Amino acid sequence: MRKQDVARLFTTPVDSPAYAPTRYRFTDREYLNITYRTDPEALRRLVPEPLTVPEPLVRFEVMRMPDTTGLGDYTEAGQLITVEHEGERGEFNLAMYVNSVPAISSGREYSAYPKKSGSPALYVDSDTLVGTLDYGSLRVANATMGYKQRAMDLDEARAEICVPTFMIKTVPNYDGTPRICELVRTRITDITVKSAYTGPARLQLFAHVMAPLADLPVLEVVSASHILTDLSLNPVEPVFDYLARA
């Protein structure tokens, strides 16, 4: 392999890349979202400056992705915290738990998604939409919502999915010191909302040291949604360089 070919590699292994070099298009991407009120002090310990916390709100999401270009069929679950940055309201993506190695690799390397391995699921049980997350052999989250009880305004659903998202991108040097440490922003703009529903919901979180979702306790369920979409992800853009200001 020539030097110029090595320089064009987007990931490794060199003979079988960990993920496909493509723009990811999601068909029938299905969301269960439960927004809840939590302990504001717990949020302040986790949300990085220069983001601020206007309200102590967290969104627990489970996303079923049966048809994704380059990545196939997988499911994710995670927590996103309501934040503001320079007057813009958005969400800080705290953690994502994913059952696909290519999706984890591409999300972390190519972008800044805070993905790690987990076993989420989204399915219908009788008259209930159920979202679960297991870490290893242990259950860490149970989410339930009444199945398609009330139609949701599609524009409201689109706004919920398309809120700006902030994440931390960090890459170490070989000696362990940081090479990249940035706050980045992205926003979904290419989206079709196929259906959307709301209804009563409950969320249980269970303590786990390596999947600490319960460190943001559920004090009150504020809202819930069940949304079906087709969408594409946009690239991230840096908005704050921690190393330049260190």
Side-chain angles (χ1 to χ4, degrees):
M1 183 177 289
R2 297 173 301 174
K3 295 176 183 176
Q4 57 267 37
D5 295 327
V6 176
R8 284 195 289 265
L9 289 173
F10 62 94
T11 187
T12 59
V14 297
D15 62 342
S16 178
Y19 51 89
T22 185
R23 185 169 187 244
Y24 300 116
R25 179 68 180 174
F26 300 83
T27 301
D28 291 335
R29 177 162 163 154
E30 184 179 14
Y31 290 81
L32 169 59
N33 299 308
I34 297 181
T35 299
Y36 67 92
R37 197 173 307 279
T38 193
D39 177 7
E41 289 303 317
L43 290 183
R44 292 188 185 100
R45 290 192 293 268
L46 291 173
V47 174
E49 293 179 337
L51 299 177
T52 59
V53 179
E55 292 184 87
L57 298 178
V58 180
R59 181 168 63 87
F60 174 76
E61 66 176 10
V62 183
M63 293 179 289
R64 179 85 184 91
M65 289 161 283
D67 183 358
T68 308
T69 56
L71 297 175
D73 180 350
Y74 66 103
T75 306
E76 296 182 349
Q79 285 177 311
L80 298 98
I81 300 168
T82 297
V83 295
E84 282 188 357
H85 178 255
E86 295 182 349
E88 180 181 53
R89 194 164 176 126
E91 293 179 328
F92 174 63
N93 196 332
L94 178 62
M96 307 176 79
Y97 299 85
V98 190
N99 63 359
S100 164
V101 171
I104 293 172
S105 300
S106 61
R108 292 182 64 91
E109 291 184 18
Y110 186 65
S111 191
Y113 291 95
K115 298 186 179 187
K116 61 189 300 187
S117 181
S119 299
L122 183 61
Y123 59 94
V124 178
D125 183 8
S126 182
D127 58 354
T128 307
L129 182 65
V130 178
T132 63
L133 174 61
D134 294 347
Y135 191 84
S137 63
L138 299 179
R139 178 62 46 90
V140 294
N142 275 331
T144 56
M145 176 181 168
Y147 186 69
K148 293 189 175 182
Q149 291 195 5
R150 298 195 303 274
M152 184 178 181
D153 181 80
L154 297 186
D155 288 335
E156 182 182 346
R158 185 178 296 105
E160 182 173 322
I161 300 301
C162 295
V163 66
T165 301
F166 298 91
M167 300 173 286
I168 295 294
K169 175 71 171 183
T170 178
V171 177
N173 281 304
Y174 299 109
D175 62 359
T177 58
R179 176 180 292 189
I180 297 173
C181 188
E182 296 173 334
L183 179 70
V184 303
R185 177 193 181 277
T186 187
R187 186 173 191 172
I188 294 170
T189 55
D190 179 8
I191 184 173
T192 300
V193 178
K194 295 180 169 181
S195 65
Y197 293 88
T198 186
R202 300 290 185 271
L203 176 61
Q204 296 173 288
L205 303 177
F206 305 97
H208 193 299
V209 65
M210 299 305 294
L213 284 77
D215 287 2
L216 298 178
V218 180
L219 302 183
E220 176 193 9
V221 171
V222 175
S223 63
S225 62
H226 175 205
I227 303 173
L228 184 66
T229 68
D230 294 341
L231 62 84
S232 299
L233 299 180
N234 284 334
V236 302
E237 56 180 1
V239 296
F240 190 86
D241 186 341
Y242 292 94
L243 300 182
R245 294 161 174 79

